[in-house]
Amino acid sequence: MDQFLAIPGAHATGDLSALQYQAVYLTEDFGVAGITDSNAAAFAQAGIGILQDDPAANGEPASVAMLGICRARAGGTITQGAFLTLDNDGKVVAGALEAVLSSADRAVIGRALGDAASGDIFTIAVNFITPLPHDTE
């Protein structure tokens, strides 16, 4: 059921095996790294996609969904149709559109295609190419 546009040539910049189905950000030369609480402020809106596989070492190929239908890990309770953004650990979370759009450090990156509880792997429609922007004022 997954159908997505992936980043050609993307590779892990370290062990990402524990981050399958979570958001990653682009580093250098198509390298991707996991979003963590310690680097969340730096990434703000810079997530590039959802990691679909589990590369375990630096340089291993990484399948990163940028646009389309893919699986993601829920960071909280999510209902079908909810607008989605990222938490500080790269998991997807639901947010009221108005609240996400007025946030200084979040963007709407997709919609939930099913219900999920925290930690669940579920299907989403994702768009990291043209996410809905946050309020820049």
Side-chain angles (χ1 to χ4, degrees), residues 1-129:
M1 178 166 176
D2 295 345
Q3 292 187 335
F4 56 84
L5 175 64
I7 302 171
H11 63 274
T13 57
D15 182 357
L16 303 182
S17 60
L19 301 179
Q20 185 176 20
Y21 305 124
Q22 292 180 209
V24 293
Y25 67 96
L26 200 58
T27 59
E28 79 294 327
D29 299 324
F30 294 99
V32 294
I35 295 168
T36 65
D37 193 45
S38 62
N39 67 13
F43 95 87
Q45 280 191 286
I48 194 69
I50 304 291
L51 184 66
Q52 296 298 295
D53 56 2
D54 58 351
N58 186 36
E60 285 190 13
S63 177
V64 180
M66 291 182 66
L67 177 70
I69 308 301
C70 71
R71 288 174 281 173
R73 185 177 310 276
T77 301
I78 298 172
T79 57
Q80 183 177 353
F83 288 96
L84 302 172
T85 188
L86 301 176
D87 70 9
N88 288 351
D89 293 315
K91 297 180 184 98
V92 295
V93 292
L97 182 59
E98 295 79 14
V100 173
L101 292 178
S102 66
S103 172
D105 63 353
R106 298 288 183 246
V108 174
I109 57 92
R111 301 285 298 269
L113 297 181
D115 296 337
S118 185
D120 285 354
I121 306 302
F122 71 117
T123 303
I124 67 171
V126 66
N127 182 356
F128 278 89
I129 294 174

